[in-house]
Amino acid sequence: MRVLLTGGTGFIGSHTAVELLAANHDVFICDNLCNSSRETLTAIESITGRRPVFFESDIRDARAMRGILGDNGIEAVIHFAGLKAVGESCVKPLAYYDNNVSGTVTLLEAMQATGCRTLIFSSSSTVYGTPQKLPLTEDHPVGGVTNPYGRTKLIIEKILADLCAADAEFSAVCLRYFNPIGAHPSGLIGENPNGIPNNLLPYVARVAAGVLKEVNVFGDDYPTPDGTGVRDYIHVMDLARGHALALQYAAGRSGWDAINLGTGKGYSVLEIIRAFEKACGHPVAYRIAPRRAGDIAANWADPSKAQRLLGWRAERGLEDMCATAWNFQQRLLSGK
Ligand code: NAD
Ligand code: UD1
């Protein structure tokens, strides 16, 4: 299939590009490089032997999007492009609504204009807000989101549902990711956020590498077994495979759907630190810090819908997630 990956040079997009190329799809990437770099294309080529066709372009550029979709006969879009820093979204909400929501509307208009009617969207478990029950199933109520970033995901899901209701041929699958971590086993692609990481894993990796002093564990008084926050960490390679399967699923149907991509198992912050210590072979310094505003105590997925509809289940465990994240971190430091 001829597939466009918006945001395809980013963390999840680049791993998905590798997976799709390996499955013999024709991969096109459009990214404005606001949070990634062209070097990722060379890394993808080194891994797969094929280089995606790349457009340095913004999804808010209507003309460019029509051109990319129309000129290349794109049959389906996997829509990763978006801003994702929760804290920044509270400071610059309009930038988030403009980039994520307006950008998606522009993309969808271009898809309609060029007759492309299959979309996979990068949603998030954040749409569930504070869980009323665990594990989270897709029919758990959405809403109660605590920040503008999360609201953009919720709004986009609703826009896609409205579009599918209006256009009987449109197919939209919202993949609700839990906490993606880890890296490709080659260490050539992975997660490398600019500045001080917001998310736990890249922060732990930098402490382990001696770049940052210690991990701040945000709260040890949650109602969880060891008092620290519990999340469903999922290997980015498993997530990438989920996209390839979701693409097949979406292409053969019409209508709106939402599917969790998680492992079904939660780990605490302290368990993650311990697992990373094993992977890197030395202690990782941490201190207990106050809770972070907007955090929930625990969430993990019920991934049975993905198994039922896509034939997908996570295969890689926490050990592999930490080992590949550490491998990537070391390659970054060595500059190779
Ligand atoms: P990322 O920042 O590594 O990748 C996003 C890519 O989109 C970047 O390469 C960036 O340059 C590009 N981009 C942003 N705005 C753009 C625009 N207007 N036009 C073109 N390109 C643009 O992030 P990621 O972790 O790979 O996340 C991919 C998607 O998955 C995002 O939508 C994110 O919100 C969502 N998501 C991520 C997580 C996570 O933990 N990483 C969890 C849930 C959902
Ligand atoms: C966060 C976002 C979520 C987003 C996801 C992926 C918030 C409230 N939620 O999820 O919307 O979809 O990232 O981008 O920001 N932790 C520490 N120390 C740290 C960092 C994190 O103790 O330095 C803890 C957190 O309190 C949490 C766990 O580690 O218990 C995971 O945090 P993080 O990686 O930021 O992911 P989420 O908060 O689940």
Side-chain angles (χ1 to χ4, degrees), residues 7 9-13 31-36 57-60 80-84 99 122-124 149 153 177-178 180:
T9 41
F11 171 45
I12 303 170
D31 200 301
N32 67 1
L33 303 179
C34 71
N35 198 35
S36 57
S57 187
D58 195 298
I59 53 166
R60 290 165 296 180
F80 298 101
L83 301 176
K84 62 164 188 176
N99 195 81
S122 295
S123 189
S124 165
Y149 161 74
K153 294 292 172 195
Y177 311 154
F178 280 68

Side-chain angles (χ1 to χ4, degrees), residues 171-190:
S171 173
V173 173
C174 301
L175 295 178
R176 293 177 177 159
Y177 311 154
F178 280 68
N179 289 55
I181 61 171
H184 189 270
S186 65
L188 292 173
I189 51 175

Side-chain angles (χ1 to χ4, degrees), residues 87-266:
E88 184 186 58
S89 79
C90 298
V91 180
K92 301 180 189 166
L94 298 182
Y96 273 67
Y97 289 116
D98 176 41
N99 195 81
N100 295 6
V101 180
S102 305
T104 301
V105 172
T106 303
L107 168 68
L108 293 171
E109 283 168 346
M111 288 178 69
Q112 267 199 330
T114 55
C116 178
R117 288 194 167 86
T118 302
L119 181 100
I120 311 292
F121 172 58
S122 295
S123 189
S124 165
S125 67
T126 198
V127 298
Y128 295 118
T130 303
Q132 294 167 13
K133 64 173 177 60
L134 288 167
L136 285 158
T137 48
E138 289 83 353
D139 59 3
H140 182 285
V142 294
V145 178
T146 55
N147 56 76
Y149 161 74
R151 261 186 293 278
T152 67
K153 294 292 172 195
L154 196 56
I155 293 168
I156 294 166
E157 282 205 3
K158 302 282 187 204
I159 290 173
L160 291 171
D162 288 341
L163 179 57
C164 290
D167 179 346
E169 286 176 42
F170 206 93
S171 173
V173 173
C174 301
L175 295 178
R176 293 177 177 159
Y177 311 154
F178 280 68
N179 289 55
I181 61 171
H184 189 270
S186 65
L188 292 173
I189 51 175
E191 185 176 19
N192 184 23
N194 294 328
I196 296 183
N198 299 302
N199 294 116
L200 180 63
L201 240 288
Y203 203 108
V204 170
R206 287 187 195 183
V207 173
V211 177
L212 292 171
K213 186 167 151 257
E214 60 190 359
V215 182
N216 296 299
V217 176
F218 295 144
D220 67 349
D221 55 353
Y222 284 107
T224 59
D226 66 17
T228 66
V230 168
R231 297 291 185 274
D232 185 339
Y233 295 92
I234 171 170
H235 200 303
V236 67
M237 295 296 295
D238 277 330
L239 200 64
R241 192 167 42 81
H243 287 77
L245 293 166
L247 189 62
Q248 271 173 21
Y249 171 74
R253 67 190 290 280
S254 60
W256 183 94
D257 214 340
I259 302 175
N260 288 338
L261 290 183
T263 66
K265 182 165 171 43

